[in-house]
Amino acid sequence: MNSIIKMLLLSAVSAGALFAFAGTAAASHAMLEVKAVGPLTVGDTVDLRADLHAVDTGQPVVGATVTFYMEASFGGVDGEALLGQAVTDSDGVAVLPFQPRSACEHQLRVEYLTPDTGEPEEVMWSHTVEG
């Protein structure tokens, strides 16, 4: 990991059509919540949703870049793989389609950079993918 990690792992709700795997990070100015909208199953595409709001007012943070990373291993080399980026809309929501490739517990590092800051903040998000 490149910087100090704010770690928060929440339990998975495994019943129903909507799974609320969530991680939350609060900076002095913004709060990010990450969740998957739908079941996480190998080979199926699901949207990862990042909601970013101002801590003091609750207003959405518009135009923030949200970057998703995951630990990966390929050919005996371990490291962090970039899954993709999305920009928050007028509701403070950034959406990234995600297709899990293996059944196991995954951890993603989600980094966000608000328009008025120079340093990114980050949150770790943990989820289980079914086979």
PDB file of all heavy atoms in Angstrom, residues 92-116:
ATOM      1  N   GLY A  92     -23.097  12.687  -6.347  1.00  0.00           N
ATOM      2  CA  GLY A  92     -21.924  12.247  -5.602  1.00  0.00           C
ATOM      3  C   GLY A  92     -21.653  10.756  -5.761  1.00  0.00           C
ATOM      4  O   GLY A  92     -20.975  10.157  -4.940  1.00  0.00           O
ATOM      5  N   VAL A  93     -22.172  10.152  -6.833  1.00  0.00           N
ATOM      6  CA  VAL A  93     -22.059   8.712  -7.057  1.00  0.00           C
ATOM      7  C   VAL A  93     -21.146   8.413  -8.239  1.00  0.00           C
ATOM      8  O   VAL A  93     -21.301   8.991  -9.314  1.00  0.00           O
ATOM      9  CB  VAL A  93     -23.455   8.093  -7.316  1.00  0.00           C
ATOM     10  CG1 VAL A  93     -23.346   6.616  -7.651  1.00  0.00           C
ATOM     11  CG2 VAL A  93     -24.367   8.313  -6.114  1.00  0.00           C
ATOM     12  N   ALA A  94     -20.203   7.495  -8.013  1.00  0.00           N
ATOM     13  CA  ALA A  94     -19.345   6.974  -9.078  1.00  0.00           C
ATOM     14  C   ALA A  94     -19.613   5.482  -9.181  1.00  0.00           C
ATOM     15  O   ALA A  94     -19.677   4.788  -8.167  1.00  0.00           O
ATOM     16  CB  ALA A  94     -17.874   7.234  -8.759  1.00  0.00           C
ATOM     17  N   VAL A  95     -19.778   4.972 -10.404  1.00  0.00           N
ATOM     18  CA  VAL A  95     -20.104   3.561 -10.608  1.00  0.00           C
ATOM     19  C   VAL A  95     -19.057   2.930 -11.520  1.00  0.00           C
ATOM     20  O   VAL A  95     -18.705   3.481 -12.559  1.00  0.00           O
ATOM     21  CB  VAL A  95     -21.509   3.405 -11.233  1.00  0.00           C
ATOM     22  CG1 VAL A  95     -21.814   1.949 -11.535  1.00  0.00           C
ATOM     23  CG2 VAL A  95     -22.571   3.995 -10.315  1.00  0.00           C
ATOM     24  N   LEU A  96     -18.571   1.751 -11.095  1.00  0.00           N
ATOM     25  CA  LEU A  96     -17.612   0.997 -11.892  1.00  0.00           C
ATOM     26  C   LEU A  96     -18.111  -0.430 -12.062  1.00  0.00           C
ATOM     27  O   LEU A  96     -18.325  -1.125 -11.066  1.00  0.00           O
ATOM     28  CB  LEU A  96     -16.235   0.978 -11.209  1.00  0.00           C
ATOM     29  CG  LEU A  96     -15.152   0.242 -11.982  1.00  0.00           C
ATOM     30  CD1 LEU A  96     -14.654   1.096 -13.144  1.00  0.00           C
ATOM     31  CD2 LEU A  96     -14.000  -0.122 -11.073  1.00  0.00           C
ATOM     32  N   PRO A  97     -18.323  -0.897 -13.308  1.00  0.00           N
ATOM     33  CA  PRO A  97     -18.676  -2.299 -13.507  1.00  0.00           C
ATOM     34  C   PRO A  97     -17.500  -3.189 -13.093  1.00  0.00           C
ATOM     35  O   PRO A  97     -16.341  -2.879 -13.376  1.00  0.00           O
ATOM     36  CB  PRO A  97     -18.924  -2.407 -15.016  1.00  0.00           C
ATOM     37  CG  PRO A  97     -19.108  -1.005 -15.486  1.00  0.00           C
ATOM     38  CD  PRO A  97     -18.309  -0.145 -14.555  1.00  0.00           C
ATOM     39  N   PHE A  98     -17.791  -4.300 -12.405  1.00  0.00           N
ATOM     40  CA  PHE A  98     -16.755  -5.189 -11.885  1.00  0.00           C
ATOM     41  C   PHE A  98     -17.171  -6.629 -12.146  1.00  0.00           C
ATOM     42  O   PHE A  98     -18.319  -7.002 -11.900  1.00  0.00           O
ATOM     43  CB  PHE A  98     -16.599  -4.939 -10.382  1.00  0.00           C
ATOM     44  CG  PHE A  98     -15.674  -5.876  -9.669  1.00  0.00           C
ATOM     45  CD1 PHE A  98     -14.342  -5.985 -10.024  1.00  0.00           C
ATOM     46  CD2 PHE A  98     -16.141  -6.642  -8.614  1.00  0.00           C
ATOM     47  CE1 PHE A  98     -13.481  -6.846  -9.348  1.00  0.00           C
ATOM     48  CE2 PHE A  98     -15.291  -7.506  -7.919  1.00  0.00           C
ATOM     49  CZ  PHE A  98     -13.963  -7.602  -8.295  1.00  0.00           C
ATOM     50  N   GLN A  99     -16.236  -7.434 -12.656  1.00  0.00           N
ATOM     51  CA  GLN A  99     -16.501  -8.846 -12.911  1.00  0.00           C
ATOM     52  C   GLN A  99     -15.471  -9.678 -12.152  1.00  0.00           C
ATOM     53  O   GLN A  99     -14.331  -9.817 -12.587  1.00  0.00           O
ATOM     54  CB  GLN A  99     -16.427  -9.143 -14.403  1.00  0.00           C
ATOM     55  CG  GLN A  99     -16.854 -10.552 -14.746  1.00  0.00           C
ATOM     56  CD  GLN A  99     -16.816 -10.794 -16.237  1.00  0.00           C
ATOM     57  OE1 GLN A  99     -15.814 -10.549 -16.873  1.00  0.00           O
ATOM     58  NE2 GLN A  99     -17.927 -11.273 -16.768  1.00  0.00           N
ATOM     59  N   PRO A 100     -15.865 -10.239 -11.000  1.00  0.00           N
ATOM     60  CA  PRO A 100     -14.934 -11.049 -10.220  1.00  0.00           C
ATOM     61  C   PRO A 100     -14.470 -12.275 -11.006  1.00  0.00           C
ATOM     62  O   PRO A 100     -15.255 -12.895 -11.716  1.00  0.00           O
ATOM     63  CB  PRO A 100     -15.755 -11.482  -9.005  1.00  0.00           C
ATOM     64  CG  PRO A 100     -16.936 -10.584  -8.972  1.00  0.00           C
ATOM     65  CD  PRO A 100     -17.174 -10.154 -10.369  1.00  0.00           C
ATOM     66  N   ARG A 101     -13.183 -12.611 -10.876  1.00  0.00           N
ATOM     67  CA  ARG A 101     -12.594 -13.732 -11.608  1.00  0.00           C
ATOM     68  C   ARG A 101     -12.330 -14.960 -10.748  1.00  0.00           C
ATOM     69  O   ARG A 101     -12.062 -16.020 -11.274  1.00  0.00           O
ATOM     70  CB  ARG A 101     -11.273 -13.291 -12.251  1.00  0.00           C
ATOM     71  CG  ARG A 101     -11.385 -12.108 -13.150  1.00  0.00           C
ATOM     72  CD  ARG A 101     -11.942 -12.500 -14.465  1.00  0.00           C
ATOM     73  NE  ARG A 101     -11.947 -11.343 -15.354  1.00  0.00           N
ATOM     74  CZ  ARG A 101     -12.679 -11.263 -16.410  1.00  0.00           C
ATOM     75  NH1 ARG A 101     -13.470 -12.249 -16.735  1.00  0.00           N
ATOM     76  NH2 ARG A 101     -12.650 -10.187 -17.161  1.00  0.00           N
ATOM     77  N   SER A 102     -12.392 -14.800  -9.418  1.00  0.00           N
ATOM     78  CA  SER A 102     -12.142 -15.951  -8.546  1.00  0.00           C
ATOM     79  C   SER A 102     -13.032 -15.883  -7.311  1.00  0.00           C
ATOM     80  O   SER A 102     -13.381 -14.808  -6.838  1.00  0.00           O
ATOM     81  CB  SER A 102     -10.669 -16.001  -8.129  1.00  0.00           C
ATOM     82  OG  SER A 102     -10.322 -14.845  -7.403  1.00  0.00           O
ATOM     83  N   ALA A 103     -13.397 -17.072  -6.826  1.00  0.00           N
ATOM     84  CA  ALA A 103     -14.241 -17.174  -5.638  1.00  0.00           C
ATOM     85  C   ALA A 103     -13.351 -17.162  -4.403  1.00  0.00           C
ATOM     86  O   ALA A 103     -12.546 -18.058  -4.204  1.00  0.00           O
ATOM     87  CB  ALA A 103     -15.062 -18.455  -5.679  1.00  0.00           C
ATOM     88  N   CYS A 104     -13.462 -16.126  -3.603  1.00  0.00           N
ATOM     89  CA  CYS A 104     -12.714 -16.007  -2.356  1.00  0.00           C
ATOM     90  C   CYS A 104     -13.025 -14.655  -1.727  1.00  0.00           C
ATOM     91  O   CYS A 104     -13.849 -13.907  -2.215  1.00  0.00           O
ATOM     92  CB  CYS A 104     -11.207 -16.158  -2.583  1.00  0.00           C
ATOM     93  SG  CYS A 104     -10.464 -14.877  -3.606  1.00  0.00           S
ATOM     94  N   GLU A 105     -12.349 -14.364  -0.639  1.00  0.00           N
ATOM     95  CA  GLU A 105     -12.438 -13.056   0.017  1.00  0.00           C
ATOM     96  C   GLU A 105     -11.493 -12.113  -0.725  1.00  0.00           C
ATOM     97  O   GLU A 105     -10.323 -12.414  -0.907  1.00  0.00           O
ATOM     98  CB  GLU A 105     -12.024 -13.178   1.481  1.00  0.00           C
ATOM     99  CG  GLU A 105     -12.053 -11.888   2.244  1.00  0.00           C
ATOM    100  CD  GLU A 105     -13.455 -11.441   2.632  1.00  0.00           C
ATOM    101  OE1 GLU A 105     -14.396 -12.262   2.588  1.00  0.00           O
ATOM    102  OE2 GLU A 105     -13.604 -10.269   2.981  1.00  0.00           O
ATOM    103  N   HIS A 106     -12.005 -10.980  -1.190  1.00  0.00           N
ATOM    104  CA  HIS A 106     -11.200  -9.982  -1.896  1.00  0.00           C
ATOM    105  C   HIS A 106     -11.163  -8.697  -1.084  1.00  0.00           C
ATOM    106  O   HIS A 106     -12.114  -8.370  -0.393  1.00  0.00           O
ATOM    107  CB  HIS A 106     -11.813  -9.639  -3.260  1.00  0.00           C
ATOM    108  CG  HIS A 106     -11.782 -10.747  -4.245  1.00  0.00           C
ATOM    109  ND1 HIS A 106     -10.691 -11.009  -5.032  1.00  0.00           N
ATOM    110  CD2 HIS A 106     -12.714 -11.673  -4.583  1.00  0.00           C
ATOM    111  CE1 HIS A 106     -10.956 -12.044  -5.815  1.00  0.00           C
ATOM    112  NE2 HIS A 106     -12.178 -12.468  -5.557  1.00  0.00           N
ATOM    113  N   GLN A 107     -10.065  -7.977  -1.215  1.00  0.00           N
ATOM    114  CA  GLN A 107      -9.975  -6.640  -0.642  1.00  0.00           C
ATOM    115  C   GLN A 107      -9.632  -5.672  -1.752  1.00  0.00           C
ATOM    116  O   GLN A 107      -8.709  -5.914  -2.529  1.00  0.00           O
ATOM    117  CB  GLN A 107      -8.903  -6.559   0.432  1.00  0.00           C
ATOM    118  CG  GLN A 107      -9.397  -6.898   1.780  1.00  0.00           C
ATOM    119  CD  GLN A 107      -8.468  -6.366   2.860  1.00  0.00           C
ATOM    120  OE1 GLN A 107      -7.331  -5.991   2.623  1.00  0.00           O
ATOM    121  NE2 GLN A 107      -8.975  -6.332   4.060  1.00  0.00           N
ATOM    122  N   LEU A 108     -10.389  -4.599  -1.829  1.00  0.00           N
ATOM    123  CA  LEU A 108     -10.116  -3.543  -2.784  1.00  0.00           C
ATOM    124  C   LEU A 108      -9.674  -2.307  -2.023  1.00  0.00           C
ATOM    125  O   LEU A 108     -10.163  -2.039  -0.923  1.00  0.00           O
ATOM    126  CB  LEU A 108     -11.373  -3.191  -3.581  1.00  0.00           C
ATOM    127  CG  LEU A 108     -11.652  -3.984  -4.843  1.00  0.00           C
ATOM    128  CD1 LEU A 108     -11.856  -5.442  -4.549  1.00  0.00           C
ATOM    129  CD2 LEU A 108     -12.831  -3.405  -5.575  1.00  0.00           C
ATOM    130  N   ARG A 109      -8.757  -1.586  -2.619  1.00  0.00           N
ATOM    131  CA  ARG A 109      -8.390  -0.261  -2.105  1.00  0.00           C
ATOM    132  C   ARG A 109      -9.074   0.738  -3.020  1.00  0.00           C
ATOM    133  O   ARG A 109      -8.928   0.682  -4.236  1.00  0.00           O
ATOM    134  CB  ARG A 109      -6.875  -0.056  -2.122  1.00  0.00           C
ATOM    135  CG  ARG A 109      -6.458   1.292  -1.533  1.00  0.00           C
ATOM    136  CD  ARG A 109      -4.948   1.376  -1.379  1.00  0.00           C
ATOM    137  NE  ARG A 109      -4.262   1.413  -2.643  1.00  0.00           N
ATOM    138  CZ  ARG A 109      -4.005   2.518  -3.360  1.00  0.00           C
ATOM    139  NH1 ARG A 109      -4.419   3.695  -2.919  1.00  0.00           N
ATOM    140  NH2 ARG A 109      -3.353   2.451  -4.499  1.00  0.00           N
ATOM    141  N   VAL A 110      -9.880   1.608  -2.430  1.00  0.00           N
ATOM    142  CA  VAL A 110     -10.611   2.601  -3.200  1.00  0.00           C
ATOM    143  C   VAL A 110     -10.064   3.968  -2.809  1.00  0.00           C
ATOM    144  O   VAL A 110     -10.086   4.348  -1.644  1.00  0.00           O
ATOM    145  CB  VAL A 110     -12.132   2.514  -2.934  1.00  0.00           C
ATOM    146  CG1 VAL A 110     -12.886   3.510  -3.795  1.00  0.00           C
ATOM    147  CG2 VAL A 110     -12.628   1.087  -3.175  1.00  0.00           C
ATOM    148  N   GLU A 111      -9.576   4.673  -3.791  1.00  0.00           N
ATOM    149  CA  GLU A 111      -8.929   5.970  -3.572  1.00  0.00           C
ATOM    150  C   GLU A 111      -9.805   7.048  -4.206  1.00  0.00           C
ATOM    151  O   GLU A 111     -10.348   6.835  -5.293  1.00  0.00           O
ATOM    152  CB  GLU A 111      -7.565   5.915  -4.266  1.00  0.00           C
ATOM    153  CG  GLU A 111      -6.649   7.064  -4.000  1.00  0.00           C
ATOM    154  CD  GLU A 111      -5.314   6.826  -4.685  1.00  0.00           C
ATOM    155  OE1 GLU A 111      -5.191   7.196  -5.866  1.00  0.00           O
ATOM    156  OE2 GLU A 111      -4.422   6.266  -4.046  1.00  0.00           O
ATOM    157  N   TYR A 112      -9.967   8.164  -3.511  1.00  0.00           N
ATOM    158  CA  TYR A 112     -10.756   9.248  -4.084  1.00  0.00           C
ATOM    159  C   TYR A 112     -10.030  10.579  -3.929  1.00  0.00           C
ATOM    160  O   TYR A 112      -9.353  10.827  -2.946  1.00  0.00           O
ATOM    161  CB  TYR A 112     -12.158   9.309  -3.485  1.00  0.00           C
ATOM    162  CG  TYR A 112     -12.221   9.537  -1.996  1.00  0.00           C
ATOM    163  CD1 TYR A 112     -12.448  10.806  -1.478  1.00  0.00           C
ATOM    164  CD2 TYR A 112     -12.064   8.474  -1.106  1.00  0.00           C
ATOM    165  CE1 TYR A 112     -12.521  11.013  -0.111  1.00  0.00           C
ATOM    166  CE2 TYR A 112     -12.141   8.678   0.267  1.00  0.00           C
ATOM    167  CZ  TYR A 112     -12.371   9.946   0.748  1.00  0.00           C
ATOM    168  OH  TYR A 112     -12.436  10.150   2.092  1.00  0.00           O
ATOM    169  N   LEU A 113     -10.173  11.404  -4.955  1.00  0.00           N
ATOM    170  CA  LEU A 113      -9.550  12.716  -4.985  1.00  0.00           C
ATOM    171  C   LEU A 113     -10.634  13.739  -5.271  1.00  0.00           C
ATOM    172  O   LEU A 113     -11.218  13.748  -6.362  1.00  0.00           O
ATOM    173  CB  LEU A 113      -8.461  12.777  -6.058  1.00  0.00           C
ATOM    174  CG  LEU A 113      -7.695  14.086  -6.183  1.00  0.00           C
ATOM    175  CD1 LEU A 113      -6.943  14.398  -4.884  1.00  0.00           C
ATOM    176  CD2 LEU A 113      -6.740  14.037  -7.347  1.00  0.00           C
ATOM    177  N   THR A 114     -10.947  14.559  -4.276  1.00  0.00           N
ATOM    178  CA  THR A 114     -11.974  15.577  -4.458  1.00  0.00           C
ATOM    179  C   THR A 114     -11.382  16.758  -5.220  1.00  0.00           C
ATOM    180  O   THR A 114     -10.173  16.998  -5.174  1.00  0.00           O
ATOM    181  CB  THR A 114     -12.547  16.033  -3.102  1.00  0.00           C
ATOM    182  OG1 THR A 114     -11.496  16.544  -2.306  1.00  0.00           O
ATOM    183  CG2 THR A 114     -13.230  14.885  -2.380  1.00  0.00           C
ATOM    184  N   PRO A 115     -12.230  17.496  -5.945  1.00  0.00           N
ATOM    185  CA  PRO A 115     -11.727  18.598  -6.784  1.00  0.00           C
ATOM    186  C   PRO A 115     -10.942  19.672  -6.038  1.00  0.00           C
ATOM    187  O   PRO A 115     -10.085  20.311  -6.615  1.00  0.00           O
ATOM    188  CB  PRO A 115     -13.006  19.185  -7.383  1.00  0.00           C
ATOM    189  CG  PRO A 115     -13.987  18.065  -7.360  1.00  0.00           C
ATOM    190  CD  PRO A 115     -13.654  17.280  -6.121  1.00  0.00           C
ATOM    191  N   ASP A 116     -11.199  19.865  -4.742  1.00  0.00           N
ATOM    192  CA  ASP A 116     -10.553  20.952  -4.010  1.00  0.00           C
ATOM    193  C   ASP A 116      -9.346  20.510  -3.183  1.00  0.00           C
ATOM    194  O   ASP A 116      -8.836  21.270  -2.374  1.00  0.00           O
ATOM    195  CB  ASP A 116     -11.571  21.649  -3.112  1.00  0.00           C
ATOM    196  CG  ASP A 116     -12.192  20.711  -2.089  1.00  0.00           C
ATOM    197  OD1 ASP A 116     -12.093  19.483  -2.281  1.00  0.00           O
ATOM    198  OD2 ASP A 116     -12.778  21.205  -1.124  1.00  0.00           O
TER     199      ASP A 116
END
